[in-house]
Amino acid sequence: MPNPPSPTSAPKTPRRQWGAEKRTEPLPIVHERPSDRRIALARLAIVATIVFWVVYIVYTVIAEFLNNGTQSFQFTTQAISYVVVVTFLTFSALMYLVARHGALQRFAAHVRAPRAEIDRHFADRSTSMTVLVPSYAEEPDVVTTTLWSAALQEYPELRVVLLIDDPTNPTDDDKRARLDATRAIPDAITEALREPSERFRSALLEWEVEHPESILDSEIEELIEHFRWAVEWVDARIAQHTVTDHVDRFFVDQVLGGLRTEFATTADALDAARSNQHGISGEMAVHMLRRLARTFTAEVTSFERKAYASLSHEANKAMNLNAYIGLMGGAYTRESTPQGPVLRAVPFGHDADLVVPEPDYVLTLDADSMLLRDYCVRLVHSMEQPDNARVAVTQTPYSSYRGARTRIERLAAATTDIQHILHQGFSHHNATFWVGANAVIRKRALDDIVQVETTGGFVIKRYVKDRTVIEDTESSIDLGTHGWTLTNYPERLSYSATPPDFGSLVIQRRRWANGGLLILPKYFRQVRERRARGERVSLIEILLRVNYMSSIAWASFGLVFLLAYPYDSRLLSPVVLLAALPYFLAMASDLHYSGYKRTDVFRIYGFNLVLLPVNLAGVLKSLEQAITSKKIPFARTPKVRNRTATPFLYVVAPYAIIVFSIVTLVRDVQAENWGNAAFAGFNALLALYAVIAYIGIGTSLVDFGYGATNWLYAAPRRPKAPAATEQEAAVDWQSVLYHGTIPTHSRATSDHVVSPRGSRTPSSTTERSNA
């Protein structure tokens, strides 16, 4: 049985930290149905938060002014700023509770579609889907598991395209070897799928032609044999896959193992039906054989946009996706030019070097994510129900791989699983956002939001917006403006990696904090347009979306105020803590529900403290972009097994928070400002724990030393290309014919010719200014 060769030698199994997660089994696919008591407590938490906030405003702030007057400008300013900060933080806590309550209602109402109904739905449908996996400098074994999880999806017409975004001709030997290994993955998977694909396609063709009303025992035996053979094929793949970490364990146990279990269970059920002399209809038999055929017939290929000068080379994931989506539905020839190869559209039927089919659905999948076996059929089945005709994007907000080998990865995974619950609640209130790790998108909806521009004579299409680094959030707003909706499927069918170290986490969270403020005005325009069309836009939807896009900004600045400013003790009240208590209790309950410890709520608080400078940096980058209108460079989260170094600022900042909190504690104790002293001590303790447990003292020292000395080493300058001689310039006829000559108004500029890359090269003639 063919097996794709390992792209690279298997890495050594990384050491597990003490306190890392031992559990490797993921949570059930279908959420546990919440009890009436839990839903009632969720509602009570919302009411309690509002009541305690009102009580604080009335009996602490307003009462203080009524009893003592304004007293002083300083106290009045403190009171106003403190109320503003507390109100914004309470609002974010309230939105958490509202989204959580919506999620519980969705889980209670969800009924899983029977497998037989899904088979009947796709029996007479042949919709096509293209899975796009954007990849940049990923480890080949990480990409391999992602592509396998997509290729083994059961779907009528499935293409899986790896969008390689690495430089096409790297000079570094390691990068060249990694790129060659990545390029080889699609062909290796195609070869491995060849035998089961031919077997089941041939069998399906025979059965579809005959299609008897009922089948004989011998034919049931043949069907059972097909499923047994599929089980053996999957067993061989499981045996051949090297398990190096918890992600590989998930792939073996859940992706391959889940597929094996389904095939084996079906074979056993057919065997039991035959033993009990229970007839099986010919239609059901064809459905089952079709399920096998569709599982192994995916077309797996790759594409590199940077190999073509006619496509955008902007360095972000959105344009990597856009470049290929823009080619869909066309045929192209490859033409060489001095600027590089370009793609020319030709009519179908002509000789073409590249043909890109037009799919009904596009599935975007990050290179560090995986899908469970029936992700595609269940989500498309849901989208094709009559009440979902205007759903543009559906997804299962990704869950985390269990069995994290580091403490920080475990805690980041916990926050990921909490976000999964909240996003389900967003759908309950029609406030869904596209979360880019995985999503099934109607191609027709993408065509509605496309923006077309011409750059350098070539047409550039933008479907997924790249104005900010959170491209999926802005595209969600664009789809809503055009009358489309988004929804989350209430099951756990997709999983994605979480950063295993502080350095990679900094890159991810800084990107998440950047861009929400820029998108907010576009959302308000969307609300006005929807209301003008007569659509009902609920207040809860608006509040949830506003909180999602901007809460990082006000929460970060609010926490800085609380940490840094010594507020008057008269403004502090136990009622403020009571207003925050439902939020922390609810999060502790959600952590327990997701398989973590309730006490992790304190660890997450300290975790967020050390991430405060990261979030602030992302917010400030948004403000910088708003002022300068200059795009912020897209920073990909490293998807490698080695540790990522932390930038110098983010190494120092957590220690600065700890030191400042201790200084504040001492100062407030001396001033007998006990409320602020307790808050400062609490922050110092949890931030210190977070630094020790999740960053590491030794790791911090290494990154600190690297950051402190790295600036001493200057990168070697590239040698300047020698100026072209007049003879060389004259010989460059290809560039002249392709680019033409540049109109000039001075002798100085007329002495330049166009180089093959479009840059001007001075000739040997002395340049003179035009008097």
Side-chain angles (χ1 to χ4, degrees):
M1 200 166 300
N3 173 51
S6 177
T8 57
S9 58
K12 295 181 179 179
T13 303
R15 293 181 57 187
R16 295 178 58 83
Q17 283 187 345
W18 174 83
E21 189 176 30
K22 297 180 180 179
R23 169 180 178 166
T24 58
E25 183 182 357
L27 296 171
I29 291 175
V30 180
H31 286 268
E32 178 185 352
R33 189 177 300 276
S35 64
D36 293 340
R37 176 178 175 272
R38 192 175 182 208
I39 294 176
L41 289 176
R43 293 171 182 163
L44 183 61
I46 295 172
V47 174
T49 300
I50 297 173
V51 168
F52 284 128
W53 176 80
V54 172
V55 169
Y56 172 75
I57 296 298
V58 173
Y59 288 96
T60 301
V61 180
I62 297 180
E64 186 68 33
F65 283 109
L66 291 177
N67 293 333
N68 302 310
T70 55
Q71 299 183 39
S72 68
F73 176 77
Q74 181 181 1
F75 178 79
T76 302
T77 304
Q78 285 188 30
I80 293 174
S81 65
Y82 191 77
V83 167
V84 169
V85 170
V86 168
T87 298
F88 274 106
L89 295 178
T90 304
F91 172 74
S92 291
L94 181 64
M95 291 300 99
Y96 178 98
L97 298 174
V98 169
R100 176 179 182 269
H101 175 256
L104 295 179
Q105 290 183 295
R106 294 200 84 209
F107 299 156
H110 177 61
V111 177
R112 199 168 206 236
R115 193 53 226 244
E117 294 304 319
I118 294 178
D119 289 341
R120 288 189 180 92
H121 178 84
F122 286 100
D124 56 353
R125 287 176 172 82
S126 187
T127 56
S128 58
M129 177 181 292
T130 298
V131 183
L132 301 181
V133 182
S135 166
Y136 175 80
E138 323 288 5
E139 290 190 358
D141 55 337
V142 174
V143 176
T144 299
T145 53
T146 298
L147 290 182
W148 267 115
S149 77
L152 291 175
Q153 290 292 308
E154 172 196 339
Y155 202 78
E157 295 181 27
L158 185 68
R159 296 183 75 243
V160 182
V161 184
L162 176 63
L163 302 179
I164 303 174
D165 215 23
D166 300 36
T168 55
N169 295 297
T171 55
D172 182 85
D173 291 340
D174 291 338
K175 292 180 180 179
R176 163 62 67 180
R178 182 180 62 200
L179 178 59
D180 290 342
T182 302
R183 286 169 170 167
I185 296 172
D187 289 340
I189 294 177
T190 299
E191 182 60 29
L193 290 174
R194 188 183 308 280
E195 184 179 2
S197 174
E198 292 176 353
R199 175 190 178 103
F200 296 131
R201 274 181 170 173
S202 176
L204 177 62
L205 182 61
E206 294 179 5
W207 283 52
E208 284 182 331
V209 170
E210 299 178 5
H211 202 293
E213 290 295 328
S214 61
I215 59 176
L216 304 174
D217 285 352
S218 60
E219 292 171 322
I220 296 179
E221 178 64 32
E222 181 184 348
L223 186 59
I224 294 173
E225 179 60 29
H226 284 312
F227 275 96
R228 300 287 189 207
W229 190 94
V231 170
E232 293 176 2
W233 186 92
V234 177
D235 283 340
R237 287 227 52 82
I238 291 175
Q240 293 160 357
H241 188 83
T242 303
V243 177
T244 59
D245 59 13
H246 59 297
V247 178
D248 287 318
R249 174 55 56 194
F250 178 91
F251 175 70
V252 167
D253 291 347
Q254 304 304 321
V255 177
L256 296 179
L259 194 63
R260 182 201 185 280
T261 300
E262 182 175 339
F263 291 158
T265 303
T266 303
D268 292 342
L270 289 170
D271 195 18
R274 182 190 57 180
S275 300
N276 294 331
Q277 296 182 346
H278 180 79
I280 296 178
S281 68
E283 182 184 13
M284 177 177 290
V286 170
H287 285 333
M288 290 184 174
L289 195 54
R290 187 179 290 129
R291 189 186 305 177
L292 281 175
R294 289 175 174 175
T295 301
F296 296 100
T297 53
E299 176 188 352
V300 186
T301 184
S302 64
F303 181 79
E304 299 180 50
R305 60 165 175 151
K306 291 180 179 176
Y308 301 100
S310 54
L311 300 178
S312 170
H313 291 189
E314 292 184 52
N316 57 65
K317 184 177 74 174
M319 291 311 298
N320 190 14
L321 292 169
N322 290 333
Y324 193 81
I325 297 173
L327 298 175
M328 287 179 172
Y332 307 90
T333 59
R334 187 176 186 272
E335 177 182 320
S336 297
T337 72
Q339 195 172 357
V342 299
L343 291 174
R344 303 289 188 194
V346 295
F348 282 102
H350 288 62
D351 290 338
D353 300 312
L354 175 67
V355 177
V356 183
E358 175 83 358
D360 298 293
Y361 298 96
V362 174
L363 193 164
T364 59
L365 180 66
D366 279 0
D368 61 345
S369 301
M370 291 189 220
L371 307 175
L372 295 188
R373 56 193 176 278
D374 50 358
Y375 175 97
C376 289
V377 291
R378 289 195 175 275
L379 268 63
V380 173
H381 174 262
S382 174
M383 293 182 77
E384 293 184 347
Q385 299 308 302
D387 53 341
N388 290 332
R390 292 300 295 175
V391 171
V393 178
T394 187
Q395 62 198 347
T396 59
Y398 62 90
S399 301
S400 62
Y401 300 120
R402 307 309 290 259
R405 71 179 188 269
T406 62
R407 290 184 292 269
I408 193 170
E409 184 177 2
R410 173 186 170 276
L411 205 64
T415 60
T416 293
D417 291 332
I418 291 292
Q419 287 296 317
H420 172 90
I421 297 174
L422 298 184
H423 279 282
Q424 297 290 356
F426 291 165
S427 286
H428 181 75
H429 297 289
N430 194 34
T432 308
F433 282 94
W434 173 10
V435 182
N438 69 92
V440 175
I441 315 161
R442 290 187 200 269
K443 178 58 168 57
R444 187 159 50 91
L446 288 175
D447 292 336
D448 281 353
I449 65 172
V450 64
Q451 292 180 348
V452 181
E453 62 185 54
T454 302
T455 303
F458 299 109
V459 174
I460 303 297
K461 297 181 179 181
R462 299 179 190 271
Y463 299 88
V464 184
K465 299 301 180 291
D466 66 331
R467 184 170 63 104
T468 68
V469 293
I470 48 173
E471 67 286 336
D472 43 11
T473 301
E474 183 166 6
S475 298
S476 302
I477 305 302
D478 292 332
L479 289 167
T481 302
H482 286 78
W484 293 98
T485 61
L486 303 89
T487 188
N488 291 309
Y489 194 76
E491 294 184 6
R492 299 184 183 96
L493 294 173
S494 64
Y495 288 77
S496 190
T498 48
D501 57 76
F502 190 63
S504 55
L505 185 72
V506 164
I507 295 173
Q508 182 194 69
R509 298 303 171 91
R510 185 174 55 189
R511 186 178 71 247
W512 288 2
N514 183 355
L517 294 177
L518 299 174
I519 302 171
L520 199 57
K522 177 180 282 191
Y523 173 64
F524 289 137
R525 291 195 297 271
Q526 183 212 98
V527 171
R528 290 194 297 270
E529 292 182 21
R530 289 169 60 190
R531 285 177 171 169
R533 294 196 299 260
E535 292 184 34
R536 179 181 176 273
V537 184
S538 69
L539 178 61
I540 293 181
E541 175 193 341
I542 295 174
L543 296 180
L544 284 171
R545 289 191 183 276
V546 169
N547 181 71
Y548 182 83
M549 289 183 280
S550 55
S551 61
I552 290 181
W554 66 57
S556 299
F557 285 111
L559 191 54
V560 168
F561 273 105
L562 294 180
L563 288 172
Y565 193 83
Y567 282 101
D568 194 297
S569 59
R570 288 172 293 177
L571 296 173
L572 305 179
S573 170
V575 181
V576 175
L577 299 179
L578 290 175
L581 187 60
Y583 165 75
F584 287 106
L585 290 176
M587 181 179 289
S589 175
D590 293 339
L591 288 167
H592 179 71
Y593 171 78
S594 301
Y596 300 93
K597 300 177 181 178
R598 296 182 189 272
T599 53
D600 283 334
V601 67
F602 297 106
R603 297 181 180 91
I604 290 176
Y605 181 88
F607 183 68
N608 289 333
L609 274 179
V610 299
L611 285 176
L612 177 60
V614 179
N615 291 332
L616 280 174
V619 173
L620 293 175
K621 278 291 184 182
S622 293
L623 298 177
E624 175 189 334
Q625 183 173 348
I627 295 171
T628 62
S629 298
K630 183 179 180 180
K631 288 182 182 179
I632 303 301
F634 184 87
R636 294 173 173 86
T637 305
K639 303 177 182 70
V640 296
R641 287 191 166 90
N642 297 325
R643 190 178 72 84
T644 302
T646 307
F648 181 77
L649 172 64
Y650 305 115
V651 176
V652 175
Y655 290 94
I657 291 175
I658 296 170
V659 172
F660 184 81
S661 297
I662 293 174
V663 171
T664 302
L665 170 63
V666 174
R667 182 188 62 196
D668 288 331
V669 167
Q670 293 174 346
E672 298 184 356
N673 191 351
W674 304 115
N676 278 333
F679 182 66
F682 183 75
N683 290 329
L685 180 63
L686 291 185
L688 179 61
Y689 173 84
V691 168
I692 295 174
Y694 304 125
I695 302 177
I697 302 297
T699 300
S700 298
L701 292 176
V702 171
D703 290 344
F704 180 85
Y706 176 78
T709 58
N710 188 47
W711 63 276
L712 296 173
Y713 301 94
R717 294 183 178 181
R718 292 183 178 180
K720 291 184 178 180
T725 64
E726 292 182 359
Q727 182 178 2
E728 290 172 338
V731 172
D732 192 11
W733 57 271
Q734 291 179 320
S735 293
V736 173
L737 293 179
Y738 182 76
H739 291 285
T741 57
I742 301 176
T744 59
H745 299 284
S746 66
R747 171 115 181 234
T749 54
S750 64
D751 289 331
H752 290 75
V753 295
V754 179
S755 72
R757 286 293 179 187
S759 59
R760 294 191 302 169
T761 305
S763 69
S764 59
T765 306
T766 305
E767 295 189 12
R768 293 177 296 179
S769 61
N770 187 14

